[in-house]
Amino acid sequence: MSATTCDCRSPQEQRLFDKIQGKEDKFRKTHARVFKLLERFEGQKPRIDIERALYFTQSMQETEGQPLVLRWAKALMHIAKNITVYVQDDQLLLGRAGCDGRYGILYPELDGDFLDIAVRDLPTRATSPATITPEDAKRVVEEIAPYWKGKTYHEALNAALPPEVHKLTYDDPEGLISRFIVNETSSFRSSIQWVHDFEKILKRGFNGIRKEAEEKLAALDPLSPKDMCEKKPFLDAVVIVCEAIVLWAKRHAVLAREMAARESDPARKAELLRMAENAEHVPGE
């Protein structure tokens, strides 16, 4: 950096710069727990966790022909029932979408058409490399990816783009190679960065939302095609999703209590019990 360049750094950049210089972080003594959590996986290459993709795919295979909104809800319930839950050492928060440490998860419904190619190239690619066990890679290639060929959002979007738009978005007919740095994002991870109505959840809880959906279900006209074909699948899905999220939280509560029963440190035991109590109450209430 030249002497004439303005050396301005963000607080995070300054902390990284200080670390490179060997300086003690000024927050270490007051945030010891945070540093322990961060340093546990610092420099660790992310591992691909396939559980979410596997359970999502299994459920979708079993619900062929049902309304899509209902299929997604049932897939979420299948995940909530079966995905591994974790209570990390030193952690005070519960709830992860993947394994312990650094991880990445798969969304085959978005881009499963080239998931097998991506998994094959993951360990050796130059940017953002990740690890995947041979067993998991085999399941992705043989069990998950084949089901989604011809069914993914990415394929539907690729086919829907007019030629004049497609040539500006992709470098290949299949839409696997982006043409510009900024291209369509709705079939990639950006498509799940929606802003949820957290205020509604915090004030009413998922049990309150489920109750409202059940009341609306009870009021439907069984002789109305619109009620039975449009409203009922959606309301059924709302109920299932609310139940799935509460179930998932309570599975964490069970694990936290089991760990508390084995914990010898009184302080950590109290933390685990408090975490269990929270998970039994939140997010249902």
Side-chain angles (χ1 to χ4, degrees):
M1 184 176 293
S2 67
T4 58
T5 303
C6 179
D7 191 6
C8 298
R9 304 186 182 96
S10 69
Q12 175 66 6
E13 289 172 331
Q14 186 61 52
R15 290 182 60 223
L16 292 173
F17 185 80
D18 291 344
K19 183 176 181 179
I20 294 171
Q21 299 296 313
K23 297 180 181 179
E24 178 75 12
D25 195 296
K26 64 180 181 180
F27 294 109
R28 179 174 291 276
K29 292 181 180 180
T30 55
H31 296 73
R33 184 193 299 268
V34 174
F35 278 88
K36 288 177 68 176
L37 290 170
L38 291 175
E39 291 169 356
R40 189 170 294 139
F41 60 81
E42 186 177 17
Q44 185 183 97
K45 185 182 293 186
R47 169 189 156 193
I48 299 300
D49 188 317
I50 71 165
E51 278 197 311
R52 185 263 175 200
L54 180 64
Y55 294 132
F56 190 93
T57 303
Q58 288 176 349
S59 180
M60 294 295 278
Q61 288 172 321
E62 296 170 357
T63 58
E64 290 276 3
Q66 298 179 25
L68 184 59
V69 66
L70 198 54
R71 296 179 69 199
W72 273 62
K74 290 181 178 181
L76 182 59
M77 175 60 84
H78 189 60
I79 293 170
K81 286 180 177 179
N82 294 283
I83 197 169
T84 304
V85 294
Y86 298 89
V87 177
Q88 296 176 288
D89 292 341
D90 301 306
Q91 182 61 272
L92 295 177
L93 303 176
L94 295 172
R96 295 173 65 79
C99 59
D100 204 355
R102 294 187 67 192
Y103 65 87
I105 58 179
L106 306 176
Y107 297 87
E109 68 277 18
L110 293 181
D111 49 22
D113 51 312
F114 57 89
L115 200 54
D116 46 357
I117 301 173
V119 165
R120 181 197 66 198
D121 296 340
L122 266 177
T124 57
R125 66 185 185 182
T127 58
S128 303
T131 63
I132 185 169
T133 66
E135 295 79 15
D136 284 350
K138 187 172 187 291
R139 298 198 78 174
V140 170
V141 173
E142 296 181 0
E143 297 180 39
I144 299 174
Y147 173 76
W148 291 100
K149 299 288 185 180
K151 299 185 178 75
T152 66
Y153 180 84
H154 169 259
E155 289 167 290
L157 178 65
N158 183 59
L161 291 177
E164 64 271 18
V165 177
H166 194 282
K167 69 181 181 181
L168 299 174
T169 306
Y170 299 116
D171 263 341
D172 62 317
E174 292 76 25
L176 300 179
I177 304 174
S178 300
R179 185 165 177 79
F180 296 113
I181 295 175
V182 179
N183 74 329
E184 51 77 23
T185 60
S186 64
S187 69
F188 294 98
R189 299 302 169 261
S190 303
S191 64
I192 57 171
Q193 293 174 2
W194 302 314
V195 178
H196 306 286
D197 189 351
F198 292 109
E199 183 179 8
K200 182 176 182 178
I201 299 299
L202 290 169
K203 287 184 175 180
R204 298 172 56 189
F206 281 99
N207 288 338
I209 295 172
R210 187 201 72 229
K211 182 180 179 182
E212 179 187 351
E214 289 172 339
E215 291 171 350
K216 290 185 177 182
L217 275 168
L220 293 180
D221 181 358
L223 300 180
S224 167
K226 185 176 181 65
D227 279 9
M228 292 297 104
C229 297
E230 294 183 17
K231 295 182 180 180
K232 188 177 187 304
F234 171 75
L235 292 170
D236 282 337
V238 171
V239 172
I240 292 171
V241 167
C242 289
E243 291 176 344
I245 294 173
V246 172
L247 170 68
W248 185 63
K250 289 187 176 180
R251 288 186 61 213
H252 285 83
V254 170
L255 179 57
R257 288 195 182 280
E258 291 174 352
M259 294 180 66
R262 301 190 298 267
E263 181 59 57
S264 58
D265 178 9
R268 182 55 179 167
K269 180 188 285 286
E271 290 176 350
L272 290 166
L273 291 174
R274 177 62 185 273
M275 291 161 71
E277 291 173 2
N278 290 344
E280 288 164 349
H281 183 80
V282 178
E285 303 302 328

